[in-house]
Amino acid sequence: MIKAGIIGSTGYAGAELAGLLLGHPEAEVVWYGSRSYTGQEYTSIYRNMFRMLDAKCLDDNLEELADEADVIFTATPQGFCASVMSDRILEKARVVDLSADFRIKDVKIYEKWYGLEHKSPQYIEKAVYGLCEINREEIKRTRLVANPGCYTTCSILTLYPLVKEGVVELSSIIIDAKSGTSGAGRGAKVPNLFCEVNENIKAYGIGNHRHTPEIEEQLGLACGENVILNFTPHLIPMNRGILATAYAFLKRPFSYEEIKGIYEKYYGEELFIRLLPEGVYPETRWTEGSNFVDINFKIDERTGRIIAIGALDNLVKGAAGQAIQNMNLMFGLPEVLGLERVPLFP
Amino acid sequence: MIKAGIIGSTGYAGAELAGLLLGHPEAEVVWYGSRSYTGQEYTSIYRNMFRMLDAKCLDDNLEELADEADVIFTATPQGFCASVMSDRILEKARVVDLSADFRIKDVKIYEKWYGLEHKSPQYIEKAVYGLCEINREEIKRTRLVANPGCYTTCSILTLYPLVKEGVVELSSIIIDAKSGTSGAGRGAKVPNLFCEVNENIKAYGIGNHRHTPEIEEQLGLACGENVILNFTPHLIPMNRGILATAYAFLKRPFSYEEIKGIYEKYYGEELFIRLLPEGVYPETRWTEGSNFVDINFKIDERTGRIIAIGALDNLVKGAAGQAIQNMNLMFGLPEVLGLERVPLFP
Amino acid sequence: MIKAGIIGSTGYAGAELAGLLLGHPEAEVVWYGSRSYTGQEYTSIYRNMFRMLDAKCLDDNLEELADEADVIFTATPQGFCASVMSDRILEKARVVDLSADFRIKDVKIYEKWYGLEHKSPQYIEKAVYGLCEINREEIKRTRLVANPGCYTTCSILTLYPLVKEGVVELSSIIIDAKSGTSGAGRGAKVPNLFCEVNENIKAYGIGNHRHTPEIEEQLGLACGENVILNFTPHLIPMNRGILATAYAFLKRPFSYEEIKGIYEKYYGEELFIRLLPEGVYPETRWTEGSNFVDINFKIDERTGRIIAIGALDNLVKGAAGQAIQNMNLMFGLPEVLGLERVPLFP
Amino acid sequence: MIKAGIIGSTGYAGAELAGLLLGHPEAEVVWYGSRSYTGQEYTSIYRNMFRMLDAKCLDDNLEELADEADVIFTATPQGFCASVMSDRILEKARVVDLSADFRIKDVKIYEKWYGLEHKSPQYIEKAVYGLCEINREEIKRTRLVANPGCYTTCSILTLYPLVKEGVVELSSIIIDAKSGTSGAGRGAKVPNLFCEVNENIKAYGIGNHRHTPEIEEQLGLACGENVILNFTPHLIPMNRGILATAYAFLKRPFSYEEIKGIYEKYYGEELFIRLLPEGVYPETRWTEGSNFVDINFKIDERTGRIIAIGALDNLVKGAAGQAIQNMNLMFGLPEVLGLERVPLFP
């Protein structure tokens, strides 16, 4: 039985981790870390798990936790994980960091977009970017996974085969993304109040959202070129789900079958990526609660563009589910273990 | 492996059954019945289960299905199950009827409230009312379960210990219930359109909702007296969940501990009923996607009333989950099998 | 032109006042008070009114404001208005207080339910309870109106004719109320975040909600007897709207026409109360954005109860609209002035 | 007093017209046409207007209506208005057609995208495209207005100054639009049920939505060149509102002030277009219920693109409000008459 600790267990992503690990046959949580609720019953905060577990929230002492856990999940604000990371921790435990601290290989870009000094850049190189479908083998061998962001997982997986195979004009890529509100976290802020989000849609972080360089870097690694693109997130009045609508010019006319073949080449065997039938497009509802990413595309012959669309649950494949998929890989377990949930609809 | 057939598998309750049975280790679906979609791929209608199952919708021939299945779930409109029930079917298969056809023991009351002639009243006596927490032993021995309605499950379980133990004035009982919209089914009707339900709350079926006599009959059986009460359902702009707020005069002043003890007596060992801590009241979100019923109460000394509140997911404990709980009981399986889902929040 | 000041103008009720006064032909706002946003452009906070007004938020100095305004609206936390009220203010300006400070005549009850010491009980007697349909003449003559709460307006108006005419058993009254989330205010609190409210319903303030004594006192004044009842509010995932479902035993069997006649007697001429046709029940959506209260009832012969239902927009008839209706009365204007909005649907 | 008739008065756009005209000081509705509800009380269908008007639904006989009305609004399915249009009707009454029948000047494009034969192409040339801010003078002189679609109004107004002034690469334009569900109409269809729309976002009409050629034609007229672009609509779980996020390469680096100046040049004096302050972006909530379009832009120096964003209420500026704005222009009335509503928030 793998012993797991969660730092930041009372945020939405942390709680999703807790819930998923409850149903995981080979792992158990030994540490529910929460700076805000230390000492309180975990299920007094997340009553959905009432009677399913019995534990008090602990603090966020990673050094101490490393003595007790085989794997540590950090679902913490940017900068925290980098500020406490140490060789000792990594020797004792594997770490899956759900923050952005070790996602971006170029530390200058990290510091610029996040406005933070990186406290332990020496671990960036060691960290593997935890997009399982792309870096599976590296993940198996690492002790530190940088779990991708929710927008980025959806955006990268939607575009990866197209970029990798060089079928689209890189400079023409635009990603217009839409997210449910759980992505904004559980902090008490006026803009996230029910009455402010409900019956509304807005764009935010236009031209400067922090997930932009992460997407650019990963797509750049895929094609070996510099990628600069527009990424615009929007806030949607729903709890869960991300939809990414991506646009790009095709370098030449491609047939449906050609592009389909390219997606099949990369994702045909993937358990959590569902390539939808022709003419059927992703909707977030079909993925809710599950680790699936649904993907499809449309070639617009009029404009010469491909529109590729991806959908996932931001708390599962976009955060906690992917983190567990990474854990499974790191510990040599079947990748789907604990992640077999049927999407909940309606 | 239990072979299961679902008649009405493309309604919301039927699809919930399909989803839950996908995760059930001892059962598999051999027949996805759907009069509306016969011949179509099941997952072209419920894309959440895309790639998780591969089957075409079949018709609603119960006789034929009984040859192939060990258990038949009928999630069909009122009157259908009664109109096709036969000795032959019940000899070959066990049946869990999610409609109201066999719930009400007094056929005259059924015919009056439902405005239908009952086509097979001879099976009413054989049918066991499938509220597992109350009729567990009878369910184990029957071949025909009348699976309770969603409002009724919530209302009866909330009030049962109080009525059974005779602590409330029967004539003072009022149940004010609120339901998510999936309870209205998947039929294409103007009142259930998004724009009609969203940003609205309304009462309906005031004084004549069909779940009223079912609640009255079951509570009457509990106390051996005639129960007549007010039950008022309301439609809420959310997908899932029922909250029942029940009011009654206490026959004499009771302490919190006395009433708590009564609830503990009946539900203390129940796996799917969670009696909440003092001062914490049920909310539908904490049960979403699960088979839990959350219950608590408040004694109002000013008025001499008890307010008892219950919450559940109408598609799970209020329909498909309870049906599987009944199946588990009928086949001698652990009651929780396939029903271990952690409630999904947010 | 009436000069109006709003203290607490950046809460939801305050902003509704601002919006309604923008469309009022005989009034203009000269003071947008806001302790939180003093010095900021009002429309930088409420961008719906961008370019419709041009003013900076001022502080909450009532003495100073009284020199500039003919009428002051206080949409402030409990206790504030009582703590600053003075003869000087009331000599210079009329006041409509949207808080509870002067609603309850029995100061001991106020202090007990609100847990506050009342700082100026000497004004309680002078204040008129501003339920226009009931206290119209007194309102015309007063300089201090205690504007009723949202739940209370809906509850009292729904039950008033029945209680006044003595047709119901007072001890049997139960009010089960449901409210949109704007009633919870614009404070940044975790329980009011989108993801906490959405896809959920809960009861709160069970047995101890502060609107209870206000309803009891007013209904008691109507019938000349002591009224003690149960009032249970519920939080609904929608922005606006209150639905009150009220239950009581009829003292004897009444016909539909008898009860209808009683409602007509009190409300037949009222501009803002709409008695719906037989069999049609209030829904909050039909009142959204307007000052209407929709009311209807059902006699349940089986149980001997009447179920009376009312619906309104909590920010309009339940707060700002009623405040303006009161202002119109106090200044001798037509009661509907500035309140002619057609309810917005969908 | 202008006498108005509404054909299709029981759809959402028709009802918005009815509501707005109730508050219009110079117009009154003399004919509520509704094929589905002929003979029924109008307010039995739209109870928000109960007691505000008293009329039965009439049929959709335009010839007869033209004898009684000064202006006719047709909020009807595609093809209807073209199939009944006649010289006689246009001689007797002015017509504002909310359908697409006379919007597209190139009848072949209309027939191709709508899959309909156009029954009266002779009126296309006479019809003026009713985007008031662009075609104001022509509208004043015409008897037949083709009222723009909701997506198109938002998309065109957002991009018009940029295209007109030639600052963007035409081939690079992408419009990613998001709409509330009232845009889908009041027809009883499964995909528009509450449980299907709620907690979901999806793209639809990818590459072939019918508003595409309308946007292309109008932007093409603005710049005198052929415009081919991508337009992708998305369905959002909210009642009202459209947000259009438009992307294009700037032909050269522009400063914020330059682009701001261009917008000011075209819209600086417009009553219903609000250019937001720098750094503040449109959100649909700030326009709800009003005739406003909110617009702003961001120059992304990294990519060389401009991101221009517009928001409006699809039922008001996107349909009924614009129709009344057109009526005001046609009848020489102040453009804002009957359209002064303050946006309703929350």
Side-chain angles (χ1 to χ4, degrees), chain A residues 107-169:
Chain A
V107 68
K108 289 214 185 71
I109 288 181
Y110 173 89
E111 294 189 336
K112 180 182 157 201
W113 287 74
Y114 284 87
L116 288 171
E117 183 194 354
H118 200 295
K119 299 290 189 182
S120 54
Q122 68 273 27
Y123 297 110
I124 293 178
E125 204 47 49
K126 294 189 183 170
V128 173
Y129 189 74
L131 203 45
C132 313
E133 288 76 11
I134 293 176
N135 296 325
R136 184 169 282 120
E137 295 311 314
E138 294 85 341
I139 293 164
K140 289 180 183 172
R141 293 189 298 263
T142 190
R143 294 187 71 82
L144 174 57
V145 161
N147 206 59
C150 50
Y151 279 125
T152 43
T153 297
C154 194
S155 301
I156 295 169
L157 289 178
T158 299
L159 285 167
Y160 180 78
L162 303 177
V163 169
K164 176 87 174 170
E165 293 287 313
V167 306
V168 294
E169 299 280 2

Side-chain angles (χ1 to χ4, degrees), chain C residues 265-306:
Chain C
K265 173 177 166 187
Y266 288 91
Y267 299 150
E269 305 298 313
E270 286 298 336
L271 294 162
F272 291 122
I273 300 183
R274 302 191 294 194
L275 302 173
L276 300 183
E278 187 172 5
V280 177
Y281 297 98
E283 309 188 21
T284 58
R285 60 177 169 157
W286 302 128
T287 68
E288 188 175 341
S290 82
N291 204 46
F292 287 124
V293 190
D294 285 358
I295 295 175
N296 211 347
F297 65 91
K298 164 100 178 203
I299 298 169
D300 185 346
E301 292 171 8
R302 291 175 67 249
T303 62
R305 283 197 188 88
I306 186 167

Side-chain angles (χ1 to χ4, degrees), chain A residues 47-304:
Chain A
R47 292 210 174 272
N48 52 329
M49 290 178 255
F50 180 60
R51 273 214 356 220
M52 303 186 91
L53 68 91
D54 184 12
K56 285 199 162 59
C57 292
L58 303 175
D59 63 25
D60 53 8
N61 187 332
L62 238 71
E63 293 272 342
E64 191 184 330
L65 169 52
D67 290 332
E68 302 196 16
D70 304 306
V71 60
I72 298 172
F73 298 97
T74 49
T76 44
Q78 314 310 334
F80 174 82
C81 195
S83 74
V84 298
M85 190 50 56
S86 70
D87 288 352
R88 204 183 149 273
I89 290 169
L90 288 177
E91 277 156 25
K92 298 204 163 195
R94 287 177 174 84
V95 174
V96 180
D97 177 25
L98 282 78
S99 85
D101 285 2
F102 300 106
R103 290 181 195 157
I104 296 176
K105 294 297 171 195
D106 185 335
V107 68
K108 289 214 185 71
I109 288 181
Y110 173 89
E111 294 189 336
K112 180 182 157 201
W113 287 74
Y114 284 87
L116 288 171
E117 183 194 354
H118 200 295
K119 299 290 189 182
S120 54
Q122 68 273 27
Y123 297 110
I124 293 178
E125 204 47 49
K126 294 189 183 170
V128 173
Y129 189 74
L131 203 45
C132 313
E133 288 76 11
I134 293 176
N135 296 325
R136 184 169 282 120
E137 295 311 314
E138 294 85 341
I139 293 164
K140 289 180 183 172
R141 293 189 298 263
T142 190
R143 294 187 71 82
L144 174 57
V145 161
N147 206 59
C150 50
Y151 279 125
T152 43
T153 297
C154 194
S155 301
I156 295 169
L157 289 178
T158 299
L159 285 167
Y160 180 78
L162 303 177
V163 169
K164 176 87 174 170
E165 293 287 313
V167 306
V168 294
E169 299 280 2
L170 294 178
S171 66
S172 73
I173 298 175
I174 288 173
I175 301 164
D176 191 284
K178 299 90 181 170
S179 174
T181 305
S182 59
R186 213 189 188 196
K189 295 173 187 164
V190 168
N192 297 336
L193 291 176
F194 182 83
C195 291
E196 309 286 317
V197 172
N198 190 37
E199 296 299 292
N200 188 39
I201 174 169
K202 67 173 177 184
Y204 64 100
I206 304 162
N208 55 30
H209 192 277
R210 294 163 168 191
H211 283 182
T212 311
E214 188 179 330
I215 299 169
E216 290 178 344
E217 190 174 79
Q218 290 298 319
L219 291 180
L221 290 171
C223 64
E225 294 182 55
N226 209 18
V227 174
I228 296 180
L229 50 76
N230 272 105
F231 167 73
T232 314
H234 297 75
L235 188 68
I236 305 295
M238 60 183 191
N239 286 351
R240 289 170 181 246
I242 283 183
L243 190 85
T245 312
Y247 303 84
F249 280 122
L250 290 166
K251 286 187 180 165
R252 62 163 176 83
F254 280 82
S255 70
Y256 171 80
E257 286 71 22
E258 281 177 292
I259 301 293
K260 181 75 175 181
I262 287 171
Y263 274 106
E264 290 283 359
K265 173 178 167 188
Y266 288 90
Y267 299 150
E269 305 299 311
E270 286 297 337
L271 294 163
F272 291 122
I273 299 184
R274 300 192 294 193
L275 301 173
L276 300 183
E278 187 171 5
V280 176
Y281 297 98
E283 310 188 20
T284 58
R285 61 176 167 155
W286 302 129
T287 67
E288 189 175 343
S290 82
N291 204 47
F292 287 124
V293 189
D294 286 358
I295 295 176
N296 211 348
F297 66 91
K298 165 101 179 200
I299 297 169
D300 186 347
E301 293 171 8
R302 291 176 66 250
T303 63

Side-chain angles (χ1 to χ4, degrees), chain D residues 122-245:
Chain D
Q122 68 273 26
Y123 296 111
I124 294 177
E125 204 49 48
K126 294 187 184 171
V128 173
Y129 190 74
L131 203 45
C132 313
E133 288 75 11
I134 293 177
N135 298 324
R136 185 169 281 119
E137 295 311 314
E138 293 86 341
I139 292 164
K140 288 179 183 171
R141 293 189 300 263
T142 191
R143 296 188 70 83
L144 175 56
V145 161
N147 206 61
C150 50
Y151 279 125
T152 45
T153 297
C154 193
S155 301
I156 295 169
L157 289 177
T158 299
L159 284 168
Y160 180 78
L162 303 178
V163 169
K164 176 86 173 170
E165 294 286 313
V167 307
V168 294
E169 299 279 4
L170 295 178
S171 66
S172 74
I173 298 174
I174 289 172
I175 302 164
D176 191 285
K178 299 89 180 170
S179 173
T181 305
S182 58
R186 215 189 188 198
K189 295 172 188 166
V190 167
N192 298 335
L193 291 176
F194 182 84
C195 291
E196 308 287 317
V197 173
N198 190 38
E199 296 299 293
N200 189 38
I201 174 169
K202 66 173 176 184
Y204 63 101
I206 305 161
N208 56 32
H209 192 277
R210 293 164 167 190
H211 283 183
T212 311
E214 189 180 328
I215 299 168
E216 290 179 344
E217 190 175 77
Q218 290 298 318
L219 291 180
L221 291 170
C223 63
E225 294 183 55
N226 209 19
V227 175
I228 296 180
L229 50 74
N230 271 105
F231 167 73
T232 313
H234 298 74
L235 189 68
I236 304 295
M238 60 183 190
N239 285 351
R240 290 169 180 248
I242 283 182
L243 189 85
T245 312

Side-chain angles (χ1 to χ4, degrees), chain B residues 21-316:
Chain B
L21 288 168
L22 266 182
H24 196 291
E26 299 286 344
E28 62 179 336
V29 178
V30 297
W31 186 294
Y32 294 91
S34 172
R35 192 177 285 186
S36 314
Y37 297 99
T38 307
Q40 295 187 37
E41 287 289 338
Y42 187 75
T43 63
S44 73
I45 300 150
Y46 282 92
R47 292 209 175 272
N48 52 329
M49 290 177 256
F50 181 60
R51 274 213 355 220
M52 304 187 89
L53 68 91
D54 184 12
K56 284 197 162 61
C57 291
L58 303 175
D59 63 24
D60 54 7
N61 187 331
L62 237 71
E63 293 273 341
E64 192 184 329
L65 169 53
D67 289 333
E68 303 196 15
D70 303 306
V71 60
I72 298 171
F73 297 97
T74 50
T76 44
Q78 315 309 334
F80 173 83
C81 195
S83 74
V84 298
M85 190 48 57
S86 71
D87 286 354
R88 202 179 149 277
I89 291 168
L90 288 177
E91 277 157 25
K92 298 204 164 196
R94 286 178 174 84
V95 174
V96 180
D97 177 26
L98 280 78
S99 85
D101 286 3
F102 301 104
R103 291 180 195 157
I104 296 176
K105 293 298 170 194
D106 185 333
V107 69
K108 290 215 183 70
I109 287 181
Y110 172 89
E111 295 188 335
K112 181 181 157 200
W113 287 75
Y114 284 85
L116 288 172
E117 182 193 354
H118 200 295
K119 298 292 189 183
S120 54
Q122 69 274 25
Y123 297 110
I124 294 177
E125 203 48 49
K126 294 187 183 171
V128 172
Y129 190 75
L131 204 44
C132 314
E133 287 76 11
I134 293 177
N135 296 325
R136 183 168 282 119
E137 295 311 314
E138 293 84 342
I139 292 164
K140 289 180 183 171
R141 292 188 300 263
T142 190
R143 296 188 70 84
L144 174 56
V145 161
N147 206 60
C150 50
Y151 279 125
T152 44
T153 297
C154 193
S155 302
I156 294 168
L157 290 178
T158 299
L159 285 167
Y160 180 79
L162 303 177
V163 169
K164 176 86 174 171
E165 293 287 313
V167 305
V168 294
E169 299 280 1
L170 294 178
S171 66
S172 73
I173 298 174
I174 288 173
I175 301 164
D176 191 284
K178 299 90 180 170
S179 173
T181 305
S182 59
R186 216 189 185 195
K189 295 174 188 165
V190 168
N192 297 337
L193 291 175
F194 182 83
C195 291
E196 309 286 317
V197 173
N198 190 38
E199 295 300 294
N200 189 38
I201 174 169
K202 67 174 177 183
Y204 62 102
I206 305 160
N208 56 32
H209 191 277
R210 292 162 169 193
H211 284 181
T212 311
E214 189 180 328
I215 299 168
E216 290 178 345
E217 191 174 77
Q218 290 297 319
L219 291 179
L221 290 170
C223 64
E225 292 183 57
N226 209 18
V227 174
I228 296 180
L229 51 75
N230 273 105
F231 167 74
T232 313
H234 297 74
L235 189 68
I236 305 295
M238 59 183 191
N239 286 350
R240 289 169 181 248
I242 283 181
L243 190 85
T245 312
Y247 303 84
F249 280 123
L250 290 166
K251 285 188 180 165
R252 61 163 176 85
F254 280 82
S255 70
Y256 171 80
E257 287 71 22
E258 281 178 291
I259 301 292
K260 181 75 174 181
I262 287 171
Y263 274 105
E264 290 283 0
K265 172 177 167 187
Y266 289 91
Y267 299 150
E269 305 298 313
E270 287 297 337
L271 295 163
F272 291 121
I273 299 183
R274 301 192 294 194
L275 301 173
L276 300 182
E278 187 171 5
V280 177
Y281 298 98
E283 309 188 21
T284 58
R285 61 177 168 156
W286 301 129
T287 67
E288 189 176 340
S290 82
N291 204 48
F292 287 124
V293 190
D294 285 358
I295 295 176
N296 211 347
F297 65 91
K298 166 99 177 202
I299 297 169
D300 185 346
E301 291 171 9
R302 290 175 66 249
T303 63
R305 283 196 189 89
I306 185 168
I307 301 108
I309 302 183
L312 53 71
D313 182 323
N314 57 303
L315 292 179
V316 188

